[in-house]
Amino acid sequence: MAATELTLYELTGANPELRFSPFCWRIRLALAHKRLNANCIAWRFSDKQKIAFSGQGAVPVLVDHGQSIHDSWRIAKHLEENYPSQSLFGNASASLVQFVNAWADRALVPAIAQIVILDVFNGLHEQDKAYFRASREKMLGASLEAVVEDKPTKITKLKRVLAPLRQALGEQAYLGGNAANYADYCVFGMFMWARCVSPSELLEKEDPIYTWRERLLDAFDGMARAAFTVSENQRLKVTYP
Amino acid sequence: MAATELTLYELTGANPELRFSPFCWRIRLALAHKRLNANCIAWRFSDKQKIAFSGQGAVPVLVDHGQSIHDSWRIAKHLEENYPSQSLFGNASASLVQFVNAWADRALVPAIAQIVILDVFNGLHEQDKAYFRASREKMLGASLEAVVEDKPTKITKLKRVLAPLRQALGEQAYLGGNAANYADYCVFGMFMWARCVSPSELLEKEDPIYTWRERLLDAFDGMARAAFTVSENQRLKVTYP
């Protein structure tokens, strides 16, 4: 099929090159895994009209031959069903991969948000900032500035949340085993979220998760490593213990 | 092979029929899954001498043709490698199953302990009680009585911790997909721990996890459902909202 028959609407910031959504990253990687090209369209929180056709108010939205699919998990299943070569789930049950997907959503998103949420805000276009601050501060029950106070403690807490991933990567290179699959991308998307917007280093070099992340940054000809970040220079200088 | 060539040392309480260790349950279920019989030997915390041959101070310890293997994850891998029929991991990578194993250890054990730890203590033989109280109170930084205060709140918290499992079971019957595998047993063992010692009901009937637990209680001719509990009558009467 022609590349132009798949269209992915992706969240972006002030700079349209900044594609930082962890959920959109999952789909970017899923498409690369299946060697599918998609026409990627930048979308901002305030661009409601742009995806009104899908009936959704958020991305990722994938349009495949005129059919629109939303929600990263549903998109992954759609791709697996409709483009079965290069399986996204390997031979694992969908429910086992979905478990990792849900763990990343429920356990990792809040733990990483405590470190990078203000950086996300700072990367946004002016037209999105008021909405983002109001909705996230309501959700978190505190100002964005208060949420990210004492980052070293938050990074220590994240390290504990990541314990199951660390243990699983102690014996094999990827959650998928010898090769990465969608379980890996579900989690790696979270690290791309942080990488794209924040100077904070979330992992210590000695952590097996760091090595795993390096491998995924290099995957698909370094696609993730080459992604635009707001703070490449700054990020290399700032680390927390 | 003859049934007697596998021996499993299992934690027990005052009543030697009470086999409540979540880690030993994983191996019970793994053996049943592989249709292997084992000679199960009751062991108490203070029976150090009984497993001294293994170099370990805790169970499960499996002895297979004279070779002793400890730690439930290592035992599962040993069984999978040495008795490959009826695969424990299905076609999933070992690391993906190990992720669930580690999540149960790191996220579920503490959340369930906050509800049942005093019931565990009450089920123990007198000879184990002083050791158990001292070691667990040191670990938890509070008296066992204080740890289990306000169970309804702890049960609500457990419900949140279980969110990834609930989501994964929304589309398929088991973490293993259409059939249970070791990923399911890793988590189900935690519910058996609670069931054997505690009158507290951890799940609401409407929860997909409740239905999944029912199916696993019925598996292998109702092996888990038939297990001795300290409080069968009491358990049926006590629920938390």
Side-chain angles (χ1 to χ4, degrees), chain B residues 120-141:
Chain B
V120 174
F121 173 80
N122 288 330
L124 295 178
H125 194 280
E126 290 302 321
Q127 72 188 36
D128 280 356
K129 284 189 167 177
Y131 154 78
F132 186 86
R133 181 181 282 279
S135 61
R136 271 48 177 183
E137 292 189 345
K138 188 177 173 193
M139 195 186 301
L140 296 161

Side-chain angles (χ1 to χ4, degrees), chain A:
Chain A
M1 57 163 287
T4 49
E5 301 193 50
L6 283 172
T7 302
L8 177 65
Y9 288 84
E10 287 188 311
L11 188 61
T12 190
N15 187 323
E17 294 297 306
L18 178 67
R19 308 287 170 105
F20 62 94
S21 156
F23 310 107
C24 293
W25 266 103
R26 290 173 175 177
I27 302 309
R28 278 212 153 188
L29 291 152
L31 290 166
H33 183 99
K34 289 198 172 284
R35 297 169 195 174
L36 293 168
N37 289 312
N39 180 21
C40 291
I41 298 183
W43 177 89
R44 296 196 179 106
F45 290 112
S46 43
D47 289 340
K48 297 299 178 199
Q49 205 50 44
K50 212 174 191 174
I51 56 168
F53 68 89
S54 70
Q56 299 304 311
V59 293
V61 168
L62 181 76
V63 182
D64 184 358
H65 291 74
Q67 179 191 1
S68 78
I69 308 108
H70 67 278
D71 176 84
S72 64
W73 176 250
R74 292 182 69 242
I75 295 171
K77 285 203 303 173
H78 170 89
L79 292 174
E80 187 71 352
E81 284 159 22
N82 290 272
Y83 305 92
S85 76
Q86 312 291 334
S87 170
L88 272 179
F89 302 157
N91 293 311
S93 63
S95 51
L96 202 46
V97 178
Q98 193 177 8
F99 178 85
V100 177
N101 185 86
W103 172 79
D105 292 353
R106 304 294 190 125
L108 270 192
V109 168
I112 296 177
Q114 300 267 319
I115 303 163
V116 308
I117 193 85
L118 188 60
D119 299 318
V120 174
F121 173 81
N122 288 330
L124 295 177
H125 194 281
E126 290 302 320
Q127 73 188 37
D128 280 356
K129 284 189 169 178
Y131 155 78
F132 185 86
R133 180 181 282 277
S135 61
R136 270 50 178 183
E137 291 187 346
K138 188 178 174 192
M139 193 187 302
L140 296 160
S143 72
L144 300 182
E145 288 76 5
V147 168
V148 299
E149 269 174 18
D150 190 11
K151 285 188 191 178
T153 299
K154 307 288 169 56
I155 288 173
T156 301
K157 199 175 155 195
L158 172 65
K159 189 175 173 179
R160 281 199 300 276
V161 171
L162 287 167
L165 179 66
R166 189 171 298 113
Q167 206 162 325
L169 295 174
E171 296 178 27
Q172 292 194 283
Y174 299 99
L175 288 175
N178 296 324
N181 71 19
Y182 196 69
D184 294 279
Y185 307 148
C186 284
V187 182
F188 179 70
M190 299 295 153
F191 287 101
M192 286 307 295
W193 176 39
R195 178 183 170 88
C196 289
V197 298
S198 175
S200 296
E201 176 50 83
L202 305 184
L203 300 170
E204 292 163 12
K205 279 200 171 161
E206 298 69 31
D207 193 329
I209 303 172
Y210 186 101
T211 316
W212 164 87
R213 189 181 61 176
E214 286 292 303
R215 283 193 288 265
L216 286 165
L217 283 165
D218 288 333
F220 311 120
D221 299 322
M223 180 182 81
R225 198 183 290 282
F228 179 87
T229 71
V230 288
S231 52
E232 184 67 21
N233 294 323
Q234 197 186 351
R235 191 169 52 75
L236 297 174
K237 274 182 260 157
V238 182
T239 55
Y240 297 93

Side-chain angles (χ1 to χ4, degrees), chain B residues 8-12 19-31 43 58-61 72 189:
Chain B
L8 177 64
Y9 288 84
E10 287 188 312
L11 188 61
T12 190
R19 308 287 170 105
F20 63 94
S21 156
F23 310 107
C24 292
W25 267 104
R26 289 173 174 176
I27 303 308
R28 276 211 156 190
L29 291 152
L31 290 167
W43 178 88
V59 292
V61 168
S72 64

Side-chain angles (χ1 to χ4, degrees), chain B residues 157-172:
Chain B
K157 199 176 155 196
L158 171 66
K159 190 175 174 180
R160 280 200 301 275
V161 171
L162 287 167
L165 179 66
R166 188 171 299 111
Q167 206 162 325
L169 295 173
E171 296 177 29
Q172 292 194 284

